[in-house]
């Protein structure tokens, strides 16, 4: 089981948390749970309710629609990010490729934390604004 | 009618009486003194100098008044108001002594000086009284009490004018000796102001009002704003013409009066009576006719009354010149200008957006008014000296000027309605900023028209603006809106109907006692009670016994909001029990009303019911109960309310309730914030409670907490102080503890900077995490340094400097550094200078070590400092980074951290020791 400080180091690599101060990532780390999946286990199914974000500590997870692979999340990568902000059902299925250790952030716990911690909210909004600005830049350059 | 008139005029509530009596007396005395001085000034000047010199003194007055009033306004921003008024009045008293002494030499320049001085006194005395009134009363009180204070002024003017004539005629007091009486009155007024200041309660201003920042703007920009708006241009034009014509009429009046009463004594008596009685006519017009005229004629009609009266007066002066004609002319000008016309002119600003109004109105009031009096002086000089026009011929000039003025008022009619429509669409009218109720016919008509639109927000906005208006035309659209699907619209519609006489529409309103919205139900019952011939107690008793629980609960809500003690007795325990027994959504609605009612009556027999509501399963019920507990102010509930600060669902309600407790909350908050067994969230929420209690005691307590460096709350305490400082600059923030906190924060900044330099190039995950945490800490330190500076120096300037300093733009950064270099002083400047200096972080860190006498040469020393420090996050990061360094001392410190109170520090120490990397 990783400690809070180890979780913080992982969370720093998640795009939407990249602008959150490390001290506040520690609060975020405190609401994460470690979950283990064996090879070929399903993390979630397409059309399941979106209720959590996952971060790969060890192993890798395949994101696919039926047999069509969309992407793979490897170590230190996050998937299911939008579940934190959107209640729409999962659009892909997530299946463990190997035995995998994941960190899970529950949507309701996350919303509660945002409500109490303005620095995390600011950091997440800033990261999303950066992402949007990047997308706009790409559209304009095309 | 008289009762209605005076009832609305004297709406002073319990707790405001003493203050209002003192304020009333203060304004009364100031105006008594002014109306002693005014006739004395005029008669001495007219007799001792010459009426032909009046235009010259008009120009001098205009030229001198502007800088004096500007200086005064500047001083009013930096000095505490009671001090400012005492100092200014002290200077005025000294001036009066000097002037009385100089008058004996009978030199013409003395009378020029005296004339100008009295004009300045008039402007300053009025201005500082209203500044004081604004500091003493909040916006809601102002609307009720300012009319009464204005009445004090008018009675003072009447007394001053009449008594002047009386004592000069009957007691043989010479006109110059009136100055001694004024000196006595001014001394008394200093005493009064200081008593008022001592007993005045702290004022909480509406949040939106507090956050509007004062902007310094050039005259050029204000001109630009005015030029862009035809509406504002016409306002400026109308005010300019009003002031110019007033100067011409004043000249005619004074010359004719001097000819009719050649001696100083006679002239003083005549002028005293004239000015005093003019105030009385003005009062009569203001109280009895202004509201009616505005309602019937609209703003554009009212503003044509004064020029119309003046044109008639000037025609009579042209054909039948003499004292009677000029008295009527000057009387019309003086009485209408400060009653009907003034209200009309103020209402012209109604459709101007608040921000533009704030900027331009001060300019118009301060400069347009006085400049054009000066321009009129120059024109008069030209007419009398160059063209050698007689008093009679001057009437022709007046007629020409008034014709231009009338033309402008006609143009304004169309412009005002257009501007009003536009403002309504954009919702830029700020109703709360008005000191008067909307009575303007056009305004009401336009607002009523907007009730027929399909835009819900516009309807809600218009209903809000009409909430205090009584007008039959409102009944029909409001009744229609009662059928709206939006509960927001229905709530406002019924609130508007409550103000009208709606007896004939009782059946329409009665239907809404079963409305789906609780507030509409409650208001429907209140409206029925107010408009029915039946006894209120009987009506309420019937609704309380109704078999429909929603109606019963609405009756409970209505009684708790509007009921008197007898009506509250109707809410018996069986009724309460019947409401508690209901399940589901209906039960929640009933319990919410019941919880609200508990705030208005306190019965020991209902303790157990209150406990049930405090622990209700519904959030709405608990929230309402929390507010009611705040109203009850019982100390036994304080601990429970403070604990509720820790629960996000109830935090803002608990804060509101604690604020309602007032001063009795301080000792317990102090105890809780110091108790480390209380959750950090609760302790961190406490400083925000004090923002709701804006007084010196809150500032002192917050400052004490800063001084004691209570763990985990420093930042929230400083933020709370910043909010108080910005919103209540009259509070005193000069404190050694703040200075000490600033020095400590600066020291930490240098330590962190040095530690960061030693860790900046770390390439391990733990080293990079520590470097990142140090960067964040440094940013946080800098913010706190500026927040603390904002408590001592002007907060807006400090905030701008902070933004400049952290900006990526070199120019902004350079300007900020230059500004801080000029602003900061003493030791603080010396300590902070290296941080702002552009010589680089290496230089700043070295200077920091020198200034605070510490050295950090190695990573080990830096880690030791951080592990021994009070910042738990830096401590954890530093512990996590220790394995890379061979050090027995560090190992000991990590082992010691195994017993740290902070779980993250403890957990990290366990991790590091378990990995056995030492």
């Amino acid at each position: 089981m990783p400690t809070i400080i180890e979780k913080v180091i992982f969370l720093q690599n998640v795009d939407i948390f990249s602008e959150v101060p490390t001290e506040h990532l520690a609060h975020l780390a405190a609401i994460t749970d470690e979950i283990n999946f064996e090879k070929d286990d399903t993390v979630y199914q397409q059309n399941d309710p979106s209720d959590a974000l996952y971060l790969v500590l060890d192993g890798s997870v395949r994101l696919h629609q039926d047999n069509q692979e969309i992407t793979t999340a490897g170590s230190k990568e996050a998937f299911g990010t939008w579940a934190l902000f959107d209640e729409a059902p999962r659009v892909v299925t997530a299946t463990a490729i190997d035995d995998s250790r994941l960190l899970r952030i529950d949507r309701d716990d996350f919303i509660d934390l945002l409500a109490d911690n303005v620095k995390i909210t600011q950091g997440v909004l800033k990261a999303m604004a950066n992402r949007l600005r990047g997308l706009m830049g790409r559209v304009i350059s095309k | 009618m008289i009762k209605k008139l005076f009832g609305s005029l004297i709406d002073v509530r319990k707790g405001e009486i003493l203050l209002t009596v003192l304020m009333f007396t203060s304004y009364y005395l100031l105006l008594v003194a002014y109306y002693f001085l005014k006739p004395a000034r005029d008669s001495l000047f007219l007799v001792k100098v010459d009426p032909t010199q009046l235009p010259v003194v008009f120009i001098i007055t205009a030229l001198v008044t502007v800088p004096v009033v500007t200086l005064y306004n500047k001083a009013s921003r930096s000095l505490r108001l009671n001090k400012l008024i005492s100092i200014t009045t002290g200077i005025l008293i000294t001036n009066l002594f000097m002037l009385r002494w100089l008058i004996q030499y009978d030199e013409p320049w003395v009378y020029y000086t005296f004339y100008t001085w009295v004009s300045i006194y008039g402007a300053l005395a009025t201005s500082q009284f209203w500044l004081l009134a604004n500091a003493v009363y909040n916006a809601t009180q102002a609307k009720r009490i300012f009319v009464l204070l204005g009445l004090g002024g008018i009675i003072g003017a009447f007394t001053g004018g009449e008594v002047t004539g009386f004592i000069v005629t009957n007691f043989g007091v010479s006109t110059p000796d009136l100055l001694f009486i004024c000196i006595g009155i001014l001394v008394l007024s200093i005493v009064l102001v200081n008593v008022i200041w001592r007993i005045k309660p702290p004022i909480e201003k509406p949040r939106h009002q507090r956050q509007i920042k004062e902007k310094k703007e050039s005259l050029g920009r204000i001109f630009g704003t005015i030029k862009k708006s035809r509406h504002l241009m016409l306002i400026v034009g109308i005010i300019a013409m009003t002031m110019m014509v007033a100067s011409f009429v004043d000249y005619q009046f004074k010359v004719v009066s001097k000819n009719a009463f050649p001696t100083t004594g006679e002239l003083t008596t005549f002028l005293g009576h004239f000015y005093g009685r003019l105030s009385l006519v003005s009062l009569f017009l203001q109280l009895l006719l202004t509201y009616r005229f505005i309602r019937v004629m609209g703003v554009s009609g009212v503003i044509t009354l004064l020029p119309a009266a003046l044109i008639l007066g000037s025609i009579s002066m042209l054909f039948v010149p003499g004292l009677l004609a000029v008295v009527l002319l000057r009387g019309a000008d003086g009485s209408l200008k400060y009653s009907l016309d003034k209200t009309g002119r103020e209402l012209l600003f109604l459709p101007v957006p608040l921000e533009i109004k704030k900027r331009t109105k001060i300019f118009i009031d301060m400069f347009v008014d006085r400049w054009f009096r000066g321009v009129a002086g120059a024109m008069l000089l030209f007419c009398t000296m160059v063209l050698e026009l007689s008093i009679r011929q001057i009437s022709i000039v007046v007629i020409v000027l008034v014709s231009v003025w009338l033309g402008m008022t006609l143009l304004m009619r169309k412009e005002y309605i257009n501007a009003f429509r536009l403002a309504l669409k954009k919702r830029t009218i700020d109703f709360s900023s008005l000191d008067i109720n909307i009575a303007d016919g056009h305004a009401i008509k336009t607002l009523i028209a907007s009730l027929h639109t399909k835009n819900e927000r516009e309807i809600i906005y218009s209903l809000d603006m009409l909430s205090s208006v009584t007008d039959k035309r409102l009944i029909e659209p409001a009744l229609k809106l009662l059928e709206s699907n939006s509960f927001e619209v229905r709530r406002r519609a019924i609130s508007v109907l409550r103000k009208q006489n709606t007896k004939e529409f009782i059946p329409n309103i009665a239907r809404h006692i079963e409305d789906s919205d609780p507030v509409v139900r409650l208001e429907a019952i209140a409206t029925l009670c107010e408009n029915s011939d039946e006894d209120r107690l009987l009506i309420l008793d019937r609704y309380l016994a109704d078999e429909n629980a929603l109606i019963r609960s609405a009756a409970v809500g209505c009684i708790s909001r509007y009921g008197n003690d007898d009506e509250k007795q109707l809410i018996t325990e069986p009724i309460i029990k019947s409401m508690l027994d209901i399940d589901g959504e209906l039960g929640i609605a009933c319990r919410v009303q019941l919880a609200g009612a508990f705030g208005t009556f306190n019965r020991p027999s209902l303790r157990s019911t209150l406990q049930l509501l405090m622990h209700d399963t519904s959030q709405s019920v608990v929230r309402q109960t929390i507010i009611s507990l705040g109203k009850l102010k019982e100390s036994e509930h304080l601990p429970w309310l403070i604990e509720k600060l820790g629960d996000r669902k109830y935090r803002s309600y608990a804060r509101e309730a604690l604020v309602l407790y007032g001063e009795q909350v301080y000792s317990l908050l102090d105890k809780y914030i110091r108790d480390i067994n209380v959750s950090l969230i609760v302790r961190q929420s406490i400083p925000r409670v004090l923002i709701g209690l804006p007084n010196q005691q809150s500032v002192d307590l917050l400052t004490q907490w800063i001084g004691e460096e209570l763990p985990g709350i420093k930042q929230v305490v400083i933020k709370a102080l910043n909010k108080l400082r910005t919103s209540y600059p009259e509070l005193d923030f000069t404190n050694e503890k703040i200075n000490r906190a600033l020095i400590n924060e600066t020291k930490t900044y240098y330590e962190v900077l040095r530690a960061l330099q030693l860790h900046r190039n770390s390439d391990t995950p733990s080293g990079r995490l520590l470097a990142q945490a140090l960067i964040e800490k440094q940013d946080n330190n800098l913010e706190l340094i500026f927040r603390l500076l904002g408590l001592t120096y002007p907060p807006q300037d400090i905030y701008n400097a902070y933004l400049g300093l952290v900006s990526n733009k070199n120019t902004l950064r350079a300007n900020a550094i230059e500004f801080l270099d000029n602003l900061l002083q003493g030791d603080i400047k010396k300590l902070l200078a290296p941080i702002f200096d552009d010589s680089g972080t290496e230089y700043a860190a070295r200077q920091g070590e020198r200034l605070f006498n510490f050295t950090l040469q190695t990573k080990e020393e830096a880690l030791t400092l951080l592990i021994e420090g009070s910042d738990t996050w830096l401590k954890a990061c530093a512990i996590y980074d220790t394995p890379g360094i061979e050090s027995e001392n560090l190992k000991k410190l990590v082992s010691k951290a195994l017993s740290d109170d902070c779980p993250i520090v403890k957990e990290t120490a366990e991790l590091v020791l378990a990995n056995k990397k030492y």
Side-chain angles (χ1 to χ4, degrees), chain A residues 3-4 9 22-23 112 115-116, chain B residues 648 651 776 873 876 880 907:
Chain A
T3 60
I4 293 283
I9 289 175
T22 54
E23 184 176 359
D112 277 351
D116 277 334
Chain B
R648 186 167 37 79
R651 187 174 300 143
E776 288 159 7
W873 179 240
Y880 192 53
E907 184 191 61

Side-chain angles (χ1 to χ4, degrees), chain B residues 27 31 149-159 276 279-280 282-283 286:
Chain B
Y27 196 40
L31 270 284
L149 298 183
L151 179 66
I154 291 172
I155 299 174
F158 176 69
T159 315
S279 310
L280 217 57
S282 202
L283 170 69
Q286 183 66 25

Side-chain angles (χ1 to χ4, degrees), chain B residues 556-613:
Chain B
V556 168
C558 176
I559 292 171
S560 63
R561 188 174 290 187
Y562 303 113
N564 57 31
D565 288 344
D566 288 342
E567 287 162 4
K568 281 174 188 162
Q569 291 302 320
L570 293 174
I571 307 174
T572 57
E573 279 159 50
I575 290 173
I576 291 171
K577 191 170 179 317
S578 76
M579 290 172 73
L580 288 172
D581 288 342
I582 302 165
D583 294 325
E585 288 297 314
L586 183 61
I588 291 174
C590 290
R591 294 201 300 281
V592 168
Q593 293 287 12
L594 203 53
F598 269 75
T600 62
F601 56 77
N602 187 9
R603 294 184 205 161
S605 58
L606 294 174
R607 286 286 146 102
S608 57
T609 312
L610 194 58
Q611 284 292 332
L612 282 177
L613 294 172

Side-chain angles (χ1 to χ4, degrees), chain B residues 374-610:
Chain B
V375 171
M379 279 174 73
L380 263 172
L381 214 55
F382 181 75
C383 291
T384 53
M385 299 287 182
V386 181
L387 301 178
E388 294 183 347
L389 297 181
S390 67
I391 287 296
R392 195 173 170 180
Q393 288 165 325
I394 282 175
S395 294
I396 298 170
V397 182
V398 175
I399 290 168
V400 172
L401 288 174
V402 177
S403 305
V404 176
W405 178 1
L406 266 173
M408 286 181 180
T409 58
L410 294 176
L411 287 175
M412 178 53 102
R413 184 185 168 84
K414 199 175 157 197
E415 195 53 43
Y416 176 73
I417 295 170
N418 283 343
F420 202 91
R421 271 198 201 111
L422 190 70
L424 201 59
K425 273 210 157 40
K426 290 185 176 172
R427 296 202 289 279
T428 49
I429 300 174
D430 182 15
F431 189 50
S432 63
S433 70
L434 288 177
D435 289 337
I436 45 171
N437 290 327
I438 287 198
D440 170 32
H442 289 308
I444 292 177
K445 214 170 154 185
T446 316
L447 286 167
I448 289 176
S450 70
L451 295 180
H452 297 287
T453 66
K454 287 182 179 167
N455 182 337
E456 187 182 321
R457 297 316 306 168
E458 194 176 329
I459 293 172
I460 288 174
Y461 186 70
S462 302
L463 284 170
D464 278 341
M465 291 196 62
L466 290 163
S467 62
S468 59
V469 174
T470 308
D471 192 307
K472 276 189 175 173
R473 288 173 294 174
L474 275 169
I475 295 177
E476 195 200 328
L479 280 170
K480 269 189 190 162
L481 290 173
L482 259 187
E483 308 306 323
S484 162
N485 290 330
S486 157
F487 71 88
E488 294 269 15
V489 171
R490 295 201 305 278
R491 281 179 183 187
R492 286 162 175 83
I494 201 151
S495 174
V496 164
L497 284 167
R498 263 192 69 214
K499 294 270 181 280
Q500 323 302 326
N501 182 7
T502 51
K503 271 184 190 158
E504 49 191 306
F505 303 104
I506 281 180
N508 305 51
I509 291 164
R511 282 210 312 274
H512 288 276
I513 58 169
E514 293 188 57
D515 196 282
S516 57
D517 181 68
V519 177
V520 177
R521 291 197 296 269
L522 181 160
E523 290 291 335
I525 293 180
T527 312
L528 291 173
C529 285
E530 280 174 28
N531 288 288
S532 171
D533 294 328
E534 203 182 342
D535 183 45
R536 279 174 66 95
L537 278 172
L538 287 176
I539 300 174
L540 289 169
D541 202 26
R542 192 167 61 241
Y543 287 132
L544 284 171
D546 199 287
E547 59 182 27
N548 183 342
L550 283 177
I551 296 177
R552 288 207 302 278
S553 71
V556 168
C558 176
I559 292 171
S560 63
R561 188 174 290 187
Y562 303 113
N564 57 31
D565 288 344
D566 288 342
E567 287 162 4
K568 281 174 188 162
Q569 291 302 320
L570 293 174
I571 307 174
T572 57
E573 279 159 50
I575 290 173
I576 291 171
K577 191 170 179 317
S578 76
M579 290 172 73
L580 288 172
D581 288 342
I582 302 165
D583 294 325
E585 288 297 314
L586 183 61
I588 291 174
C590 290
R591 294 201 300 281
V592 168
Q593 293 287 12
L594 203 53
F598 269 75
T600 62
F601 56 77
N602 187 9
R603 294 184 205 161
S605 58
L606 294 174
R607 286 286 146 102
S608 57
T609 312
L610 194 58

Side-chain angles (χ1 to χ4, degrees), chain A residues 36 39 118:
Chain A
N36 294 311
K39 187 182 174 194
V118 73

Side-chain angles (χ1 to χ4, degrees), chain A residues 2-6 8-9 12 20-27 111-113 115-116 118-119, chain B residues 648 651 681 715 719 765-766 769 772-773 776 780 783 871-873 876-877 880 904 907-908 911:
Chain A
T3 60
I4 293 283
I5 210 155
E6 288 170 317
V8 167
I9 289 175
Q12 275 184 299
V20 178
T22 54
E23 184 176 359
H24 298 272
L25 282 181
H27 299 298
I111 299 294
D112 277 351
L113 188 66
D116 277 334
V118 73
K119 290 278 181 191
Chain B
R648 186 167 37 79
R651 187 174 300 143
I681 294 181
Q715 189 139 356
K719 278 185 177 175
S766 60
L769 177 66
Q772 181 62 29
E776 288 159 7
N780 191 250
E783 185 191 320
D871 187 309
T872 52
W873 179 240
C877 292
Y880 192 53
I904 299 179
E907 184 191 61
T908 311
L911 172 78

Side-chain angles (χ1 to χ4, degrees), chain B residues 841-875:
Chain B
T841 52
E842 191 69 40
Y843 167 79
R846 274 203 315 275
Q847 289 298 309
E849 283 182 319
R850 188 183 60 79
L851 286 165
F852 286 98
N853 200 21
F854 72 92
T855 50
L856 288 180
Q857 298 298 331
T858 62
K859 277 190 177 184
E860 184 189 343
E861 283 174 1
L863 289 174
T864 305
L865 179 88
L866 296 173
I867 295 171
E868 287 178 336
S870 60
D871 187 309
T872 52
W873 179 240
L874 282 183
K875 191 187 262 196

